[in-house]
Amino acid sequence: MESLIKEISIKEIDGVSIGNAQNDEAKTGVSVIYFKNGAQAGCDISGGGPASRETPLTSSMTADNPLNAVVLSGGSAFGLAASDGVMRCLEEHGIGYETGFAKVPLVCQSCIYDLAYGRADIRPDSAMGYEACMKALEECDDSMGNIGAGTGATVGKVLGLKQATKAGLGIHAIQVGELKIAAIVAVNAVGDIFDSSNAQKIAGLMDPERKVFLDSEEVLVRMVTTPPNLDKTNTTIGCVVCNAKFDKAKLNKIASMTRNAYARCINPVGTMADGDSIYACSVGDVVSDVNVVGSLAAKVMEKAIKKAVESAKIDDEEYLKNCL
């Protein structure tokens, strides 16, 4: 199967562009995924503590008006303010749903909780969202790691940030024939992260001396009668984009199938302390099958999760000084 799949750049998918903005001191940021010609979209929310905006637009029960952008950000629910700036930027450029009196940009957003890393009093705001959107309009940024929504991302937080490890923003894209699929993800899980190709742990909970990995699931089991206070300080948020043509019902199915990547790479996952969410967006007219695209989307997301960890690694001294 691998011989049929060609790795490409997300820049090779027409009509998709990413812009990032962040505050490097506060360790938080915004990633805007802009759809030049609009996108049909679905969404899967499996975590118990999501922070999101306008997700009903992805329901098959609502109108088929195309999305203009998906926003991924830090800041927990405070970070939802970033979409105000994204909407302002898009409106200034004449982009949005025509109502007859104004063009209203259609923007969905999900946030990670990164307030315990860097600074808690600075969060993504309208200005940061505007900046990220402007960058997305100008060109597609395929940077990964400690950038945009991944700036303050961490993983393996069952015993607190000082025994956790850094993660970030990951991107991966493939092509099979005419079909192109990409995944963008900010990995900020309470659980440990694994390389799905060999089941090896690559990030997550560490011992107090930060020498060896511990097992987050085992720690939780040992605390079964005195569960830890996880404080909803997590959430892995992502978006898969394809150039195949699907309606919202099928895109919701693709989003739910993509969740298999979370299960293969993150453990534990989808807890009440996570707000795990995945958008699935269609920006093209290629004819394909929902089962094929959903299965491939999960594979692409697995690679993006791995890249989010590998591209965000920093030394322990730098990591620990930003843990509040």
Side-chain angles (χ1 to χ4, degrees):
M1 185 178 74
E2 293 299 325
S3 62
L4 301 175
I5 299 173
K6 173 187 174 184
E7 184 173 338
I8 62 172
S9 166
I10 192 170
K11 295 180 179 181
E12 297 178 56
I13 302 180
D14 293 337
V16 181
S17 186
I18 303 172
N20 297 296
Q22 62 277 329
N23 184 311
D24 290 315
E25 177 193 358
K27 304 301 181 189
T28 193
V30 178
S31 298
V32 173
I33 307 162
Y34 165 60
F35 308 116
K36 182 179 181 180
N37 302 310
Q40 290 297 315
C43 184
D44 178 85
I45 299 175
S46 54
S52 58
R53 170 173 170 155
E54 290 274 54
T55 50
L57 294 176
T58 65
S59 169
S60 58
M61 299 295 288
T62 58
D64 280 334
N65 302 320
L67 289 188
N68 300 115
V70 167
V71 179
L72 308 178
S73 85
S76 189
F78 292 111
L80 294 170
S83 280
D84 294 339
V86 175
M87 291 185 67
R88 179 163 54 88
C89 180
L90 293 174
E91 182 186 25
E92 288 177 2
H93 287 81
I95 299 166
Y97 175 69
E98 181 59 71
T99 67
F101 297 94
K103 285 191 175 181
V104 180
L106 300 183
V107 178
C108 288
Q109 181 178 359
S110 289
C111 308
I112 67 170
Y113 186 105
D114 56 4
L115 302 182
Y117 189 74
R119 290 180 60 174
D121 60 337
I122 296 178
R123 307 104 179 200
D125 57 10
S126 178
M128 191 181 290
Y130 187 98
E131 179 186 353
C133 188
M134 276 297 299
K135 291 180 177 178
L137 292 177
E138 292 166 358
E139 61 178 338
C140 183
D141 183 0
D142 58 359
S143 302
M144 293 183 281
N146 300 305
I147 190 170
T151 305
T154 52
V155 295
K157 289 169 277 190
V158 171
L159 295 177
L161 270 186
K162 291 186 177 180
Q163 286 180 240
T165 47
K166 191 73 183 70
L169 187 74
I171 301 171
H172 189 72
I174 65 166
Q175 180 172 356
V176 183
E178 294 183 343
L179 176 66
K180 298 177 181 179
I181 305 174
I184 308 99
V185 64
V187 181
N188 189 59
V190 67
D192 301 324
I193 311 300
F194 296 83
D195 181 340
S196 60
S197 68
N198 57 22
Q200 293 299 305
K201 182 172 173 177
I202 57 175
L205 180 65
M206 306 201 65
D207 71 333
E209 290 74 39
R210 301 185 62 80
K211 299 295 185 184
V212 297
F213 284 129
L214 301 180
D215 187 300
S216 290
E217 186 175 54
E218 181 178 339
V219 169
L220 285 175
V221 169
R222 291 180 182 278
M223 303 173 77
V224 64
T225 57
T226 55
N229 180 15
L230 299 178
D231 294 327
K232 298 181 175 59
T233 58
N234 314 287
T235 298
T236 297
I237 52 177
C239 179
V240 292
V241 185
C242 70
N243 67 344
K245 186 174 183 178
F246 292 113
D247 60 21
K248 291 197 290 185
K250 287 187 171 63
L251 288 163
N252 275 286
K253 180 59 178 176
I254 289 169
S256 70
M257 291 179 71
T258 305
R259 191 203 315 168
N260 290 323
Y262 285 19
R264 293 169 189 151
C265 298
I266 307 170
N267 189 44
V269 68
T271 72
M272 293 299 285
D274 291 297
D276 298 336
S277 304
I278 300 171
Y279 297 92
C281 301
S282 167
V283 296
D285 293 312
V286 172
V287 176
S288 191
D289 177 75
V290 63
N291 303 292
V292 173
V293 173
S295 298
L296 287 172
K299 291 291 187 182
V300 177
M301 181 61 77
E302 290 173 44
K303 298 281 191 179
I305 290 170
K306 182 180 178 183
K307 288 183 176 181
V309 168
E310 293 178 339
S311 60
K313 289 181 178 178
I314 57 176
D315 63 53
D316 281 356
E317 182 180 358
E318 174 67 20
Y319 173 77
L320 290 170
K321 78 178 184 181
N322 288 294
C323 297
L324 301 183

